[in-house]
Amino acid sequence: PLVPDLRFLQVVVVFCVISAYEVGPGPISWFIAAELFDQPGRPIAMAFASLLSWGGKFLLALTFPPLLKLWGGYVYLLFMAVALTALWVTWFRMPETRGRSFDDIAEEFRGAEALPLQNNGDFNTFK
């Protein structure tokens, strides 16, 4: 064979990628939930963040093989679009918490309570 047996190297690279994720962007959902919610609401926020994190990983593992078979290498464009959307939401929609107390952050969210959550139709949305 022209290519040597690289199974061991493939396993090492997969472990490196998973490790890099877990020390990099993996715990961000925990930090966000801890910074945006006060003590009474924090447990349910952490549980919901964990549910979304693990649920997203489960959906990724479940849908990746069929999508790879269907789209081939272009499947990574879909994941790139999702990652860019998450970056946009984080950059433009998440409140800045650096150097701010929880009360300041909570006050910013209290300003959102004045927004009507229901329009004239049957669909609940922000106006």
Side-chain angles (χ1 to χ4, degrees), residues 12-82:
V12 169
V13 169
V14 167
F15 279 120
C16 288
V17 168
I18 291 171
S19 298
Y21 173 78
E22 292 303 328
V23 298
I28 287 177
S29 60
W30 293 92
F31 293 131
I32 290 172
E35 288 183 352
L36 295 184
F37 293 92
D38 60 350
Q39 191 58 38
R42 195 169 291 153
I44 191 128
M46 298 294 266
F48 190 66
S50 180
L51 172 80
L52 288 178
S53 177
W54 283 100
K57 292 171 190 173
F58 175 74
L59 282 175
L60 176 66
L62 193 66
T63 59
F64 182 75
L67 287 174
L68 181 63
K69 189 175 184 180
L70 182 67
W71 291 356
Y74 294 107
V75 72
Y76 293 104
L77 294 175
L78 172 66
F79 295 120
M80 183 184 69
V82 170

